[in-house]
Amino acid sequence: MPSAGLCSCWGGRVLPLLLAYVCYLLLGATIFQLLERQAEAQSRDQFQLEKLRFLENYTCLDQWAMEQFVQVIMEAWVKGVNPKGNSTNPSNWDFGSSFFFAGTVVTTIGYGNLAPSTEAGQVFCVFYALLGIPLNVIFLNHLGTGLRAHLATIERWEDRPRRSQVLQVLGLALFLTLGTLVILIFPPMVFSHVEGWSFSEGFYFAFITLSTIGFGDYVVGLRQGCGAKAAPGRRPRRGSTAARGVQVTPQDFPISKKGLGS
């Protein structure tokens, strides 16, 4: 009966796969918590300490004024505005940045460091993605078809002469070597040089980008943006540590208790 076949399929294939999927998520959650929670707590404590030191050095500001300024910085950063420097900073929507954003849309990476803020831009982004994402899938499908056709010829290599077999093996080895260099080795080296990252950070960024995960914690083009010394191109997180990389002085924020309270 159809119901019996459905139950058999569910018990024989779907249920074990679902259990394995949930267990994999639980394992990842446990490991990520063990690796990242302590570092997050240290960053939070360090940021709170820096705020207290700032308030001690500049007594014209109180705790409420400081929190208001941090909120302004966070809102500016979320909107894609660089809080460091002045209004002469390069635009986030020049042609290069716009082209980069269009690529993140159609590839569904979505770093989150840049997004349209106008209603017209948001509406256009929706329709642009509706057309661009299928176009990207078609392109990748044709690319995969070509690679699969090439691999299909290798499956019949036993029927070929010995010399042809050797040439095919060498060609495959060269293809895999060049692919590894182009995708996983060369980009991290470029990012390390251009963005000031370590090789591991460049490798991490390349993998997160190619897998279309796109966390947005590392984004190209922010070398002079966030002011962080350890990772010049790393984007500060949205949270308690968002303003940690921004050097704040009273000249940047000439507000007294009276000015904010009025």
Side-chain angles (χ1 to χ4, degrees):
M1 296 180 64
S3 58
L6 181 61
C7 293
S8 176
C9 179
W10 175 263
R13 296 181 180 180
V14 179
L15 185 58
L17 182 61
L18 177 61
L19 292 176
Y21 182 74
V22 173
C23 290
Y24 190 75
L25 292 178
L26 294 174
L27 175 64
T30 303
I31 295 177
F32 284 130
Q33 183 182 26
L34 292 175
L35 294 176
E36 298 295 332
R37 189 169 185 176
Q38 184 177 0
E40 180 197 26
Q42 293 176 353
S43 298
R44 184 184 296 110
D45 295 340
Q46 181 181 356
F47 177 63
Q48 296 299 329
L49 181 60
E50 290 294 333
K51 287 200 302 182
L52 292 177
R53 289 176 179 175
F54 184 83
L55 291 174
E56 290 176 356
N57 293 331
Y58 304 102
T59 56
C60 61
L61 295 175
D62 59 7
Q63 181 70 25
W64 182 82
M66 185 64 184
E67 295 297 336
Q68 289 294 310
F69 185 45
V70 171
Q71 183 65 29
V72 170
I73 293 177
M74 293 178 60
E75 291 177 356
W77 185 261
V78 169
K79 294 178 181 179
V81 178
N82 185 355
K84 185 178 180 180
N86 50 40
S87 59
T88 61
N89 289 335
S91 172
N92 290 322
W93 289 103
D94 55 15
F95 183 79
S97 299
S98 300
F99 184 84
F100 177 78
F101 173 74
T104 62
V105 171
V106 299
T107 56
T108 68
I109 296 176
Y111 287 117
N113 66 304
L114 190 63
S117 58
T118 63
E119 183 176 353
Q122 293 171 351
V123 172
F124 174 76
C125 183
V126 170
F127 289 98
Y128 183 78
L130 288 175
L131 181 62
I133 293 175
L135 180 63
N136 181 68
V137 172
I138 293 173
F139 169 74
L140 294 178
N141 184 41
H142 280 278
L143 183 62
T145 301
L147 293 176
R148 186 167 59 249
H150 178 72
L151 294 176
T153 59
I154 299 179
E155 295 178 356
R156 300 189 296 270
W157 72 289
E158 295 181 354
D159 300 332
R160 297 176 178 271
R162 176 66 60 180
R163 183 176 180 180
S164 179
Q165 294 178 1
V166 173
L167 290 177
Q168 278 196 336
V169 171
L170 292 177
L172 179 61
L174 180 62
F175 174 78
L176 294 177
T177 302
L178 291 178
T180 303
L181 289 175
V182 171
I183 295 176
L184 295 178
I185 303 298
F186 183 68
M189 294 176 62
V190 174
F191 295 140
S192 300
H193 176 72
V194 176
E195 298 293 332
W197 300 340
S198 64
F199 182 82
S200 60
E201 290 174 327
F203 183 86
Y204 168 79
F205 171 76
F207 178 80
I208 293 299
T209 298
L210 292 174
S211 59
T212 71
I213 297 175
F215 288 124
D217 50 351
Y218 285 84
V219 182
V220 295
L222 293 182
R223 183 180 177 87
Q224 302 298 332
C226 63
K229 295 181 180 179
R234 184 169 185 176
R235 183 172 185 263
R237 301 174 184 175
R238 297 180 184 179
S240 60
T241 61
R244 185 179 54 184
V246 181
Q247 301 297 326
V248 182
T249 63
Q251 289 75 15
D252 297 323
F253 186 49
I255 300 178
S256 63
K257 299 179 183 179
K258 182 178 179 181
L260 279 174
S262 57

